[in-house]
Structures are given as C-alpha cells and as structure tokens.
C-alpha cells in the first residue's frame, strides 16, 4: 500500500509542477529546493549505511579467512571431533535423508589461548562459510534490551554477509559466552537475561531448510557457569574440550610458528617443547616471537637455543627488570634459589634447567625446572617432594642467616595449594573427607602440621650440602646464571669430596 502512496505522491507532484509551469508560474526555485532535498536525503542514507557497516562491531572476521586446520597445532582430538561435527553441515543431503536435525551449536571449552578462536575460523573455512565473531562482553550494556538488539543484529549481519558473498552458510563465533550465558538467577540481571533469551530465540529459529544456514560456535573456560538452557540438546549440544597441549602438541605448535623464522640448525624444537611444560598455544607463539626479538636485538642471523630459552623465561616469569638489589640481598636470593635447586636435584635428579639470579617480573631470582615427561596423576610421595622443593628456599635462608625473608611468600602459597590438593584427594592422614565440611581451623591445623614436618625433612636434606651452596654461590654471584648441566657437575664434585 505504502508503495502506491509513494507513486501517487510523486506522480501528483510532477503533474502539479507541470500545471504551474503551464499557467506561467516560475517553478525553478521549487525544482532547486527538490534537488537539494534529494541530495541531502541520499547523503544521509549513504552515511547511515556506512555507519551500519563501520559500527558493525560483530563482523570482525570480514576478510576472507585462509586459516585451515593444518595451521592449528596439537589439538588432534579436538580437530577430529570438530570435523566430524562439521560434516553434518557439509553433507546436507545425507542428513536430510536420515532425518537428522541440523547441528546448531558447538561449544568449545578449555583454558585461554589454546586455539578455540582458531578452530572456529578453521571451521568456517572447512564448511565454506562466512565468519562472524563477537565476544560475550560486547553484548553487555547497562540498558535493558541493548544486548538483545546486538544479538539480533549479529545474526542479521551473518545472514546478509553470507548472501552477499554467495555462501550457503555462516559461522557465528561468540567468545567468552559465559559473560552472557551465565546461569539466570531470577530477575537480578534483567539485561543479561534478555540477551541470553534473544540468543536462545535465535538458536531456536535455525532450521535445516533455511538459507543461509547458521552454525553457532562459542567458547568458554567456565562451562559449569553456563545456563542449562544453553547447553541442552538442540542448542549447544556438541561440547569439544580444547585442552593445554601435551609435549607432542607443543612441538607441533612451535613448528607452526617457526615456519617464517630463521632457526639455527642446532635448535631442537622437541627440547623447547620439553622446557615449556604447561604452556598454551598462545604462550608458545609468544616464545617464538620473543626469541626472534632477542635474536634481532643481538644482531644475529638466526635464532639459537639460548634465545628460545630466554624467551621461555620471559613468558613464564615476565620481562627482566633493572631492579638494583644490594649485595646482601643478591646473596640471600642466591642462597634461596640454590636451596630450591639442590633439593630439586635430590628429589628429581636431572630436573634443574637453569638457576638464575636476574630479576624478572616479581622475582629477584628463579630456578627453571624441566619435567622429564608430562604428568597428569600425582602420588603422595611426588607431591611431598614438590612441597620440599618449595620450602627449600626458606630452609636455606634459615640455614645461612638464621631467619627467613618475605622472598618465600610465593613458595608458601604454592606449598599450601599442594596441601589443599592432597587433602581434597584423600592423600593425608585425614583420609577421604569432604573438604567443604572443613573449618578454617582444621585447614590451618592440617597444613601447619604437614608443612612443619616437611620443613624439618627439608632442612635435614640441605644440611649435608653446605659446601655445594658455597661453591655455587660464587659462580651465581659473578655469572648470574648457572645451567642445569654445570650445577649437576658441581653437585657430583660435592658428593665425591664428601
Ligand atoms: P581465549 O579463550 O583467550 O579467547 P583461544 O583459545 O580462543 O583463547 P586463540 O585466540 O585461538 O585462543 O589463540 C591465540 C593465539 O595463540 C593464536 O592466534 C595463535 O597464534 C596461538 N595459538 C593458540 N593455540 C594454537 C594452536 N593450537 N596452534 C597454533 N597456534 C596456536
């Protein structure tokens, strides 16, 4: 109807103007006014379009994506599971023949920096879809309804982009879904509830026959926080764990990020992978990048193992700081670190990688350990060994100075966390207990009794090695670092002379 009105108005306007001109009126000023008005109208309209495109904060992945699964290291199981799920999208005819309902949502869960975003991008490429991404925090607004509106826009935008690019599907990726998808608590956060409801509505509106088809992928590292409505069958019903890579995975990721970097022939990525236990993909990428920066700063042609080793220290502990410590402080720190190193070698021979007396991040010195192999289960003996290593810094300070310092704070936190793990795993004299029933008093009792007993053992262990402390101290004070090999040599000499 409105279409006819427009036409009637335009037609009537032209007829009136013609009639006025015919009876001798000067219609030039009216024509000029109409021309200016039309120009203004189109100018405003095109600005509006630009604003929608520019302000389209959800369309981060605008450029055609060239990221494939081959560029994601480790994560073989996650990749496999994801590809199997995506095949539902690719093999449309088959799923229609079997009457399988469409896959709507895939939830990727795991620690930060493990490659969840990369997997979503690779999924878009694998399914030949357009990729639209947003982070949960982008939907959080003070005003009720704004977040919900943004969700609507994002889906609309995905459909339009797919249509424009001539693709039959779109992957919508929402990072940090827990920000909007947290459990609803009955009315306290109406804005969050509306945003989540809108997302659920959009998901329910996805049908097999729809074109373009939409696949929603979301990432979180707090799956337990999500509202059950979001993860019920028919919504995010595929859950794929994206965990920290194991040694083989780390080597693979390092290899991917080393592709465009000149590595010295002597560099063994398997060794770097061994030293970077517990690192995520993002941290490994950073190790490679930092190593390249060190090599460039030193005006070297190639990246050596020493550069990679410093890069691991930097990623683990932070950048070297130029905090000036006094000679007494440096000596105390050296004794403290040697305490850790000696007990580490005694508890787990061959595990010390470097002892360093250079301030990094918050630490004035540090010992870097390399685990011989990735480990996922720990026995009571192993954990007690870890506590002994953590307590050794303070024990060494007591041995040489008769007192401890604030430098042991982090070590005690670490020891206390291990005690907590042991209690919760039923590895203490308390037996198998429900730790949520424990009072702060009983926590204090068990941790102080365990830590005191282990502190005595630690002191006994270290007492027999006074000479080793003194010989290593000199080297550490002058050279600032002591490699694991050199330290073990000194230890052998010490044992022979004993
Ligand atoms: P977050 O949960 O913090 O959003 P994420 O799991 O989505 O993190 P990504 O954004 O995918 O992590 O990864 C960040 C960067 O880390 C990538 O751009 C890449 O350089 C590197 N990276 C992470 N995981 C891998 C991997 N498995 N293979 C290769 N590179 C990786």
């Amino acid at each position: 109807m409105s279409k006819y009105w427009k036409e009637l108005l335009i037609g009537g306007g032209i007829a009136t103007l013609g009639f006025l001109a015919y009876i001798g009126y000067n219609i030039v000023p009216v024509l000029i006014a109409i021309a200016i008005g039309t120009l203004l109208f189109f100018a405003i309209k095109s600005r509006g379009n630009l604003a929608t495109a520019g302000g389209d904060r959800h369309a981060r992945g605008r450029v055609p994506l060239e990221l494939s699964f081959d560029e994601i290291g480790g994560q073989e199981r996650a990749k496999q599971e994801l590809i199997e799920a995506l095949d539902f999208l690719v093999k449309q005819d088959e799923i229609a023949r079997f009457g399988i309902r469409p896959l709507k949502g895939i939830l990727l869960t795991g620690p930060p920096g493990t490659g969840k975003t990369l997997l979503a991008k690779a999924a878009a490429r694998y399914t030949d879809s357009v990729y639209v991404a947003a982070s949960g925090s982008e939907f959080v607004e003070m005003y009720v309804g704004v977040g919900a509106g943004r969700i609507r826009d994002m889906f609309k935008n995905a459909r339009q982009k797919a249509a424009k690019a001539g693709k039959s599907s779109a992957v919508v990726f929402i990072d940090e879904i827990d920000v909007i998808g947290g459990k609803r608590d009955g009315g306290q956060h109406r804005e969050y509830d509306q945003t989540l409801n809108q997302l659920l509505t959009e998901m329910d509106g996805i049908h097999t026959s729809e074109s373009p088809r939409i696949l929603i992928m979301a990432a979180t590292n707090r799956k337990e926080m999500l509202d059950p409505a979001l993860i019920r069958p028919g919504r995010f019903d595929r859950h794929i764990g994206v965990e920290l890579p194991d040694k083989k995975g780390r080597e693979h990721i390092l290899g991917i990020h080393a592709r465009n970097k000149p590595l010295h022939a002597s560099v063994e990525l398997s060794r770097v992978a061994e030293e970077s236990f517990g690192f995520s993909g993002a941290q490994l990428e950073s190790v490679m990048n930092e190593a390249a920066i060190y090599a460039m700063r030193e005006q070297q042609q190639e990246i050596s193992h020493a550069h990679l080793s410093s890069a691991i220290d930097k990623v683990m502990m932070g950048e070297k700081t130029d905090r000036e410590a006094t000679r007494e402080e440096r000596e105390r720190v050296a004794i403290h670190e040697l305490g850790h190193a000696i007990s580490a070698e005694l508890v787990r021979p061959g595990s010390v990688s470097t002892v360093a007396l250079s301030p990094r991040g918050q630490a004035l010195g540090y010992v870097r350990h390399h685990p011989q192999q990735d480990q996922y289960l720990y026995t009571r003996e192993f954990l007690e060994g870890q506590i002994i290593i953590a307590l050794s810094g303070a024990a060494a300070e007591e041995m040489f100075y008769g007192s401890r310092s604030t430098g042991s704070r982090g070590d005690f936190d670490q020891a206390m966390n291990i005690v907590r793990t042991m209690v919760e795993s039923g590895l203490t004299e308390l037996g198998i207990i429900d730790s949520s029933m424990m009072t702060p008093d009983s926590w204090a009792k068990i941790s102080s009794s365990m830590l005191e007993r282990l502190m005595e053992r630690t002191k006994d262990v270290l007492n027999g090695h006074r000479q080793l402390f003194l010989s290593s101290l000199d080297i550490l004070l002058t050279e600032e670092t002591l490699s694991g090999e050199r330290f073990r040599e000194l230890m052998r000499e010490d044992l022979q002379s004993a």
Side-chain angles (χ1 to χ4, degrees), residues 204-495:
D204 292 344
I206 298 173
H207 300 291
T208 339
S209 50
E210 186 191 49
S211 182
R213 284 186 311 276
I214 302 235
L215 173 70
I216 312 173
M217 292 185 70
T220 180
N221 37 35
R222 293 186 293 177
K223 184 172 145 191
E224 68 292 344
M225 301 269 296
L226 294 182
D227 196 286
L230 202 56
I231 45 181
R232 76 148 167 79
R235 293 201 178 127
F236 283 107
D237 53 3
R238 290 279 154 153
H239 301 179
I240 299 180
V242 189
E243 299 305 332
L244 288 174
D246 59 8
K247 190 181 154 217
K248 215 166 120 219
R250 292 196 294 277
E251 189 177 337
H252 189 181
I253 297 173
L254 287 164
I256 289 174
H257 294 289
R259 273 184 206 155
N260 59 350
K261 298 186 175 62
L263 289 193
H264 191 272
S266 65
V267 169
E268 286 169 48
L269 289 183
S270 62
R271 232 178 101 195
V272 184
E274 205 169 272
E275 287 179 26
S276 49
F277 174 77
F279 277 30
S280 68
Q283 285 174 313
L284 294 167
E285 188 273 338
S286 181
V287 164
M288 269 296 161
N289 198 49
E290 294 298 333
I293 293 173
Y294 284 136
M296 200 182 87
R297 260 193 225 153
E298 287 175 18
Q299 302 188 336
Q300 302 283 318
Q301 294 304 311
E302 286 171 327
I303 301 168
S304 68
H305 194 84
H307 296 135
L308 285 158
S309 215
S310 306
I312 292 179
D313 285 346
K314 178 171 176 194
V315 173
M316 207 187 293
M317 318 269 308
E319 182 60 294
K320 268 190 188 167
T321 56
D322 41 14
R323 257 186 273 164
E324 276 291 322
T326 60
R327 165 129 192 132
E328 290 79 61
E329 261 178 346
R330 277 168 55 79
E331 240 182 65
R332 192 184 262 273
V333 174
I335 290 287
H336 180 110
E337 298 308 332
L338 284 168
H340 286 309
I342 293 171
S343 57
E345 276 299 319
L346 293 170
V347 174
R348 269 177 265 296
S351 67
V352 171
S353 158
T354 330
V355 190
L357 192 55
S358 46
R360 247 179 211 284
Q362 293 299 309
L364 290 170
Y366 57 92
V367 177
R368 182 138 68 75
H369 307 268
H370 51 74
Q372 273 87 17
Q373 64 203 43
D374 293 358
Q375 201 171 332
Y376 303 100
L377 280 181
Y378 303 99
T379 59
R380 177 183 170 139
E381 289 67 37
F382 185 95
L383 293 172
E384 286 195 346
Q386 286 306 107
I387 296 180
I388 289 180
I389 298 170
L391 296 179
S392 299
E397 283 187 54
E398 260 185 50
M399 248 171 78
F400 282 86
Y401 300 99
S403 64
R404 300 174 195 161
S405 68
T406 52
S408 309
R409 209 172 124 186
D411 300 335
F412 293 153
D413 281 348
Q414 204 184 333
M416 231 87 88
N417 282 336
I418 302 175
V419 171
R420 183 170 285 275
T421 307
M422 289 177 72
V423 171
E424 285 169 351
S425 315
L427 297 178
T428 64
E429 51 268 34
L430 295 178
I432 304 167
I433 48 155
D434 179 355
S435 58
S436 64
M437 308 287 278
M438 279 179 72
T439 60
D441 207 37
S442 47
W443 272 114
K445 227 183 244 163
I446 179 77
S447 47
S448 76
S449 90
M450 271 186 75
L451 294 182
E452 260 164 46
R453 176 173 60 82
L454 291 170
M455 185 59 135
E456 286 315 308
R457 252 174 77 184
T458 310
K459 284 185 192 161
D460 284 348
V461 167
L462 293 182
N463 243 323
H465 297 277
R466 272 183 181 267
Q467 194 45 48
L468 176 59
F469 269 103
L470 299 176
S471 51
S472 320
L473 180 66
D474 283 340
I475 304 176
L476 206 50
L477 284 175
T478 46
E479 292 179 21
E480 285 204 346
T481 57
L482 195 57
S483 71
E485 287 77 37
R486 179 95 179 87
F487 179 64
R488 280 184 281 280
E489 231 169 73
L490 290 167
M491 205 156 173
R492 269 193 297 276
E493 285 166 20
D494 177 62
L495 288 174

Side-chain angles (χ1 to χ4, degrees), residues 126-249:
Y126 183 79
T127 54
D128 192 27
S129 308
V130 291
Y131 174 76
V132 174
S135 167
S137 50
E138 289 175 42
F139 300 103
V140 176
E141 281 294 333
M142 248 168 65
Y143 305 106
V144 175
V146 177
R150 287 200 184 137
I151 293 272
R152 248 189 323 270
D153 289 350
M154 182 176 68
F155 279 86
K156 205 168 111 195
N157 172 40
R159 290 191 177 96
Q160 281 172 353
K161 262 181 81 175
K164 225 186 219 170
K167 307 261 183 185
S168 59
S169 53
V171 168
V172 170
F173 176 62
I174 308 176
D175 204 356
E176 299 178 50
I177 184 104
D178 44 286
V179 177
I180 50 167
K183 291 195 177 98
R184 285 171 286 189
D185 55 5
Q188 295 234 318
H189 293 289
R190 281 202 56 219
E191 159 60 5
Y192 285 27
D193 289 359
Q194 283 208 6
T195 311
L196 176 57
N197 286 341
Q198 186 61 42
L199 178 62
L200 299 178
T201 311
E202 293 287 349
M203 287 189 90
D204 292 344
I206 298 173
H207 300 291
T208 339
S209 50
E210 186 191 49
S211 182
R213 284 186 311 276
I214 302 235
L215 173 70
I216 312 173
M217 292 185 70
T220 180
N221 37 35
R222 293 186 293 177
K223 184 172 145 191
E224 68 292 344
M225 301 269 296
L226 294 182
D227 196 286
L230 202 56
I231 45 181
R232 76 148 167 79
R235 293 201 178 127
F236 283 107
D237 53 3
R238 290 279 154 153
H239 301 179
I240 299 180
V242 189
E243 299 305 332
L244 288 174
D246 59 8
K247 190 181 154 217
K248 215 166 120 219

